[in-house]
Amino acid sequence: MITLTLNGEERLVTSEPDTPLLYVLRDELELNGAKFGCGLGQCGACTVLVDGEPVFSCVTPVMLMNGRDIRTIEGLGTIAAPGPLQAAFIEEQAAQCGYCIAGMLLRAQALLVRVPDPQDDDILAALEPQLCRCGTHMRIIRAVKRAARTLSRAAEAVR
C-alpha cells in the first residue's frame, strides 16, 4: 500500500506499484482533471505537481509517490471558488477545448511559486513542454500574468 498526500489530504493507494500515477488519480481516486494524451510524457495533458514540480503522471509509476505531495487541478480551487490561476484563465478565456489546460495551469502554478512576476520568456519556457493545438497561447500568457498580478496584490494586502 502506498501513502501519498493528494491536494493536502493523506490518501492510501491500493493500485499495483507500477501503475502510472495518472491511472491511479483517475481510476482509483476519481480525480479526472489530469488527462491521458499521448501516454509518452510528451504532450503534458497528464501534468500534475509532485512536491511542487511538474511531472508527467502518465509515465510516473505510483510506487515513486510514497510519501510525496501531489497536487492536481482539483487542488487549485473549486467551481464555486476558483483559485487565482483558474480565475485568470476564465477571465482571459484562455481555454478553448480545455484538454491541455489542467497541465498548463499546474505548470503555471509551479512557475508563479518560483517567479512571482514572470516575463513572457519565463512563461513560455515554463509552459514549453505543454502542447496546445487550439492556438490560445497569447491568452494563456495573459492569464498567467493576470494571476501573478492578483497574487502580488493579495500578498501586499497581507503585509
Side-chain angles (χ1 to χ4, degrees), residues 30-87:
E30 299 180 346
L31 295 176
N32 296 313
K35 304 287 188 270
F36 180 86
C38 65
L40 301 170
Q42 296 178 345
C43 74
C46 66
T47 300
V48 299
L49 297 181
V50 176
D51 297 333
E53 295 296 322
V55 169
F56 297 123
S57 65
C58 71
V59 293
T60 303
V62 72
M63 72 177 114
L64 300 177
M65 299 296 103
N66 198 32
R68 311 283 295 270
D69 182 40
I70 299 166
R71 194 167 185 189
T72 67
I73 186 72
E74 292 88 349
L76 295 183
T78 64
I79 291 174
L85 262 168
Q86 293 167 317

Side-chain angles (χ1 to χ4, degrees), residues 80-157:
L85 262 168
Q86 293 167 317
F89 271 62
I90 292 167
E91 289 294 320
E92 294 293 341
Q93 299 180 8
Q96 191 165 352
C97 82
Y99 208 80
C100 69
I101 292 301
M104 292 275 191
L105 282 161
L106 289 163
R107 283 193 182 278
Q109 176 70 25
L111 170 66
L112 293 178
V113 169
R114 287 190 331 270
V115 184
D117 185 24
Q119 303 304 303
D120 287 358
D121 289 346
D122 299 318
I123 299 168
L124 290 171
L127 301 181
E128 189 274 331
Q130 301 296 130
L131 289 180
C132 173
R133 299 187 189 277
C134 297
T136 62
H137 293 89
M138 299 313 293
R139 292 185 210 164
I140 291 168
I141 291 170
R142 285 196 309 261
V144 174
K145 287 181 170 180
R146 178 186 284 257
R149 288 190 302 273
T150 300
L151 292 167
S152 176
R153 283 193 296 269
E156 288 177 19

Side-chain angles (χ1 to χ4, degrees), residues 3-61:
T3 302
L4 49 86
T5 301
L6 179 62
N7 298 327
E9 294 182 19
E10 187 172 294
R11 303 289 298 262
L12 297 176
V13 173
T14 59
S15 296
E16 291 296 317
D18 60 345
T19 305
L21 175 60
L22 176 65
Y23 298 151
V24 174
L25 292 171
R26 294 182 61 86
D27 299 338
E28 184 174 336
L29 302 173
E30 299 180 346
L31 295 176
N32 296 313
K35 304 287 188 270
F36 180 86
C38 65
L40 301 170
Q42 296 178 345
C43 74
C46 66
T47 300
V48 299
L49 297 181
V50 176
D51 297 333
E53 295 296 322
V55 169
F56 297 123
S57 65
C58 71
V59 293
T60 303

